[in-house]
Amino acid sequence: MDQAIPLTALVERATSAFQKRFGRPARYVVAAPGRVNLIGEHIDYNDGLVLPMAIDRYTVLAGDLAEGESACVYSRLMDEQHIIPLASGDVTGLPVWTRYLRGVFDAYREEGIYPKAFDAVVDSTVPLGGGLSSSAALEVATATLIETITGQSVTPVRKALLCQQAEHRSAGVPCGIMDQFSSVLCQAGHLMLLDCRSQETTMVPMTDPSIEVLIINSNVKHELTGGEYAKRRAQCEAAAQALRVPTLREASLAMLEEKKSELDALLYRRARHVITEINRTTATAAAIEAGRWADVGELMAASHASLRDDYEVSCPELDILVAAASELGIEQGLLGSRMTGGGFGGCTVSLVKTEATTKVAKEICKRYRRQTGVTAIAFATPPAQGATVLVSNRS
Ligand code: ADP
Ligand code: MG
């Protein structure tokens, strides 16, 4: 099992790096978590319901005001320091990772909120590019630092939306709202049932100590040249149009079956995933609240099959991890498992009996390695707290 350093040690590492680089203590320290989605995949951009939680892995920013008109930011993971203009300065030549910060600066500046200049160190225990939303964690940490430094803030929902905008504009990823909402709004000990249409959240307690969330990173990421994410979005829009509804959230299975003959076969399957997945998400939230774990397991298995067969965003490695988990089954402490995140690699999420976590994780990773030759990384996490300000010494 992979043990990341705890948040307190991460903060310590970031603040001492700040002291060393900038020759003074960090006056502000903020943290924003990564997230895992338990169910409701490829649903946020269809206005449906999703059920993520924050994970016990964070991106930390330690900083202080500075002279000038730019942010000087060092990323420990990249081992790079760059000067990022805070206003509309020239950004050519700056590496991709700085765009996430720059996107947040831009979005906040348009709200009239901007620090004049600051220095910062960014450090993180969220794996980069693993589908656990290190990008949202970086954006939300940046937003939290801006709000802390300036003493001005927007509502949590607005904050998440500004960070989503930053990802759209700076990284060019047309993501939905789930990742940034999770990193801002999740609460420790809870899953968050997020209605992506109304943007309302309902906290679902998950505090049964005998059940744990296990994340397994397949450590593969298939780089697809076809822009699969954007393609899925476009297919969903086309399906909604054919069904004459604004989004697939407004469609029902009965409606889909009725129009089946008019619908392109591929669009039919894409729509079927979305409609059934939204139903599974509300059913999962209810089953978790009632402690009906066998039902939760079945819903997770159905979600994976739907993503694999109807939505076609899984890959052999994710299928192997999920198959290994389902072979173990409830008898061995594995309650349910599915791919999580955008797909084509990244992670699976499983619910396991706490007493069996280590054994189950080891066995799945062993089978995975035997079949793929790749080493997966497993870790358990409680539902963690959304973005927080850890240190604020404004003068
Ligand atoms: P995911 O969000 O699933 O981790 P993405 O591809 O969306 O994957 O985002 C990963 C990118 O975010 C990284 O390649 C990097 O550009 C940026 N990033 C995230 N965390 C950090 C960090 N601590 N330091 C520098 N860049 C980061
Ligand atoms: Mg991301």
Side-chain angles (χ1 to χ4, degrees):
M1 295 282 271
D2 187 48
Q3 302 287 358
I5 58 168
L7 180 57
T8 45
L10 179 64
V11 166
E12 175 56 37
R13 200 165 76 180
T15 50
S16 51
F18 185 90
Q19 173 76 50
K20 211 168 128 200
R21 280 190 172 257
F22 297 105
R24 62 191 194 281
R27 259 199 282 181
Y28 307 96
V29 182
V30 300
R35 64 95 189 92
V36 69
N37 189 23
L38 197 73
I39 198 160
E41 215 62 76
H42 281 276
I43 293 302
D44 58 352
Y45 56 81
N46 283 300
D47 268 3
L49 290 121
V50 296
L51 192 62
M53 63 176 225
I55 57 173
D56 198 16
R57 298 285 181 111
Y58 305 88
T59 295
V60 161
L61 273 168
D64 188 18
L65 289 169
E67 297 294 315
E69 288 179 356
S70 52
C72 180
V73 183
Y74 170 73
S75 163
R76 192 178 166 277
L77 294 189
M78 299 295 180
D79 193 20
E80 285 176 14
Q81 184 168 308
H82 293 282
I83 293 175
I84 312 168
L86 280 162
S88 46
D90 187 17
V91 289
T92 46
L94 285 181
V96 169
W97 70 266
T98 62
R99 287 190 212 153
Y100 293 91
L101 293 116
R102 179 50 197 266
V104 181
F105 300 160
D106 287 347
Y108 268 78
R109 198 177 51 250
E110 285 166 20
E111 299 282 305
I113 300 177
Y114 48 94
K116 277 181 79 175
F118 67 89
D119 297 330
V121 164
V122 50
D123 199 351
S124 184
T125 46
V126 187
L128 304 194
L132 299 173
S133 240
S134 70
S135 59
L138 179 57
E139 289 148 10
V140 172
T142 303
T144 309
L145 185 68
I146 291 174
E147 293 194 353
T148 311
I149 286 181
T150 60
Q152 292 174 277
S153 56
V154 296
T155 64
V157 165
R158 184 85 195 124
K159 181 181 179 182
L161 292 172
L162 292 176
C163 290
Q164 181 206 18
Q165 243 181 57
E167 180 128 2
H168 282 196
R169 296 199 302 198
S170 306
V173 180
C175 63
I177 65 170
M178 176 172 69
D179 302 352
Q180 291 79 11
F181 267 69
S182 304
S183 190
V184 173
L185 289 150
C186 277
Q187 290 175 12
H190 295 78
L191 298 164
M192 180 175 76
L193 183 64
L194 168 63
D195 183 330
C196 300
R197 182 170 60 189
S198 68
Q199 298 175 352
E200 278 170 357
T201 55
T202 311
M203 293 301 158
V204 180
M206 228 214 21
T207 46
D208 182 342
S210 68
I211 310 284
E212 220 167 20
V213 173
L214 174 69
I215 294 169
I216 303 185
N217 191 338
S218 68
N219 274 329
V220 300
K221 193 175 179 186
H222 299 289
E223 294 298 344
L224 301 168
T225 50
E228 294 300 319
Y229 186 86
K231 227 190 247 172
R232 293 299 179 286
R233 283 196 74 139
Q235 288 163 346
C236 289
E237 280 162 27
Q241 207 167 30
L243 296 173
R244 292 179 209 93
V245 286
T247 69
L248 289 178
R249 170 70 183 277
E250 281 77 31
S252 66
L253 212 48
M255 191 188 280
L256 180 68
E257 292 307 325
E258 197 188 295
K259 300 251 170 68
K260 187 173 178 180
S261 58
E262 298 168 37
L263 213 61
D264 171 85
L266 183 76
L267 294 188
Y268 168 80
R269 284 193 290 123
R270 299 296 191 250
R272 186 167 61 182
H273 165 71
V274 174
I275 295 167
T276 58
E277 183 79 353
I278 293 172
N279 293 340
R280 281 188 290 271
T281 303
T282 45
T284 302
I288 286 173
E289 275 191 300
R292 287 187 275 109
W293 299 109
D295 293 351
V296 175
E298 275 174 29
L299 288 159
M300 290 175 82
S303 168
H304 185 79
S306 176
L307 287 158
R308 181 191 59 210
D309 303 334
D310 275 353
Y311 218 63
E312 295 178 282
V313 291
S314 188
C315 63
E317 291 86 354
L318 291 171
D319 293 344
I320 288 168
L321 285 172
V322 170
S326 88
E327 278 161 25
L328 294 177
I330 288 191
E331 310 74 49
Q332 301 198 53
L334 198 300
L335 304 170
S337 185
R338 55 180 288 278
M339 62 155 275
T340 185
F344 308 112
C347 296
T348 63
V349 60
S350 307
L351 284 178
V352 293
K353 288 191 184 151
T354 309
E355 60 190 26
T357 306
T358 310
K359 211 172 144 208
V360 156
K362 243 190 197 159
E363 185 59 32
I364 296 172
C365 292
K366 195 173 96 188
R367 293 184 191 191
Y368 179 71
R369 201 190 155 86
R370 203 165 52 213
Q371 291 182 62
T372 62
V374 181
T375 305
I377 292 177
F379 67 94
T381 173
Q385 181 64 36
T388 46
V389 178
L390 300 165
V391 177
S392 177
N393 293 313
R394 302 187 68 215
S395 50

